[in-house]
């Protein structure tokens, strides 16, 4: 089955700086890679996703890059704000009707004012 | 947008009893739903895939006789934790997939076994 590794487990960034979280996956058949933000005790909130036919996707301050050859993908948050503080999870799935997700181990991001 | 609702949001049960958690897709039909478990400060781990009208598919290491899943309609899947023990205390969360392959999560259910 799929295995997703995520680094770092914790990340502290000065407000206004950029944050980068990286994930690697093991199954080359995976083709859907979402990123979630989760507040304590809440459902995961999708912040951005990418499918394997795309190398990069951007939505305002958030971007995701995918390297299929190396089987890794990264989340980039620019101009960080205090409200970006949360736990972030990457995930991978086969997609297209088989959307069971294998999650990474999570990154606790803290934005320092 | 599509909504997935879970009930109850919090439940406390005595050790040895069973507890049922419901997952409903409120405005779309979902032939497939997924159940995840999340222990404190850990990631979400897939427990099983719930298929409408057929048996659930369990992930390796998940006891199918302990975690009973029923997906009797296109809008409802239930997870029953049987003979619950304190180590089953966790955050249980479901997801459902729309026809457009969009994933929506329920609000989650906190289970505490005392």
């Amino acid at each position: 089955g799929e295995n997703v590794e995520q680094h770092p487990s914790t990340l502290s960034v000065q407000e206004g700086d950029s944050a980068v979280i990286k994930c690697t996956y093991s199954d080359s058949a995976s083709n859907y890679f979402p990123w979630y933000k989760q507040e304590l005790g809440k459902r995961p909130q999708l912040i951005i996703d990418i499918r394997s036919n795309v190398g990069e996707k951007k939505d305002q301050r958030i971007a995701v890059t995918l390297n299929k050859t190396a089987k890794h993908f990264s989340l980039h948050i620019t101009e960080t704000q205090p409200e970006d503080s949360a736990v972030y999870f990457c995930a991978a799935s086969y997609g297209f009707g088989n959307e069971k997700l294998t999650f990474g181990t999570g990154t606790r991001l803290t934005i320092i004012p | 947008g599509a909504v997935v609702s879970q009930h109850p949001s919090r439940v406390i049960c005595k050790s040895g009893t069973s507890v049922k958690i419901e997952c409903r897709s409120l405005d779309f039909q979902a032939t497939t739903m997924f159940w995840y478990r999340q222990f404190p400060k850990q990631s979400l781990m897939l427990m099983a895939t719930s298929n409408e009208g057929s048996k659930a598919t369990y992930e390796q290491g998940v006891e199918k006789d302990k975690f009973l899943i029923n997906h009797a309609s296109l809008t409802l899947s239930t997870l029953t934790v049987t003979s619950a023990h304190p180590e089953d205390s966790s955050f249980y969360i479901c997801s459902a997939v729309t026809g457009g392959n969009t994933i929506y999560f329920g609000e989650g259910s906190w289970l505490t076994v005392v």
Side-chain angles (χ1 to χ4, degrees):
Chain A
E2 177 64 278
N3 181 53
V4 179
E5 296 186 357
Q6 183 172 344
H7 298 280
S9 56
T10 61
L11 179 61
S12 293
V13 174
Q14 286 291 139
E15 182 178 355
D17 288 350
S18 296
V20 180
I21 303 171
K22 298 181 178 181
C23 287
T24 60
Y25 61 100
S26 62
D27 192 341
S28 58
S30 291
N31 58 24
Y32 176 61
F33 307 94
W35 285 90
Y36 292 94
K37 177 182 181 182
Q38 189 182 32
E39 309 286 346
L40 183 64
K42 304 286 187 181
R43 76 183 92 194
Q45 175 190 357
L46 179 69
I47 57 172
I48 197 167
D49 58 6
I50 192 167
R51 296 198 182 270
S52 59
N53 58 344
V54 176
E56 183 174 358
K57 184 177 178 180
K58 187 175 182 180
D59 182 5
Q60 299 184 340
R61 298 188 297 111
I62 296 172
V64 55
T65 59
L66 171 65
N67 183 325
K68 288 171 53 180
T69 302
K71 290 189 282 189
H72 66 70
F73 55 112
S74 300
L75 176 71
H76 305 253
I77 305 175
T78 59
E79 302 173 17
T80 53
Q81 302 167 2
E83 53 265 36
D84 294 330
S85 294
V87 179
Y88 291 81
F89 291 98
C90 63
S93 85
Y94 302 123
F96 301 109
N98 187 0
E99 280 74 11
K100 69 174 186 177
L101 295 167
T102 301
F103 283 86
T105 47
T107 297
R108 177 169 296 280
L109 175 62
T110 301
I111 306 303
I112 305 167
Chain B
V3 177
V4 175
S5 177
Q6 265 183 258
H7 178 80
S9 57
R10 290 183 179 273
V11 58
I12 300 173
C13 71
K14 291 184 177 181
S15 185
T17 63
S18 297
V19 61
K20 180 185 289 186
I21 301 170
E22 295 184 345
C23 177
R24 293 181 184 273
S25 56
L26 298 184
D27 53 0
F28 66 97
Q29 295 182 331
T31 56
T32 304
M33 295 183 178
F34 301 95
W35 286 97
Y36 297 84
R37 178 170 55 184
Q38 184 177 31
F39 292 111
K41 297 186 178 181
Q42 294 189 23
S43 186
L44 290 84
M45 298 297 293
L46 179 68
M47 300 176 66
T49 302
S50 174
N51 304 297
E52 188 269 334
S54 65
K55 293 183 179 181
T57 304
Y58 291 82
E59 295 298 303
Q60 190 173 9
V62 177
E63 301 174 59
K64 62 180 182 180
D65 295 329
K66 180 172 181 62
F67 299 99
L68 301 179
I69 291 173
N70 184 277
H71 195 153
S73 77
L74 288 170
T75 58
L76 174 64
S77 176
T78 61
L79 168 68
T80 301
V81 182
T82 64
S83 186
H85 292 283
E87 56 265 31
D88 298 323
S89 298
S90 186
F91 187 57
Y92 291 86
I93 190 164
C94 68
S95 71
V97 184
T98 68
N101 298 327
T102 301
I103 301 168
Y104 290 94
F105 283 94
E107 307 99 322
S109 300
W110 284 100
L111 170 63
T112 302
V113 185
V114 297

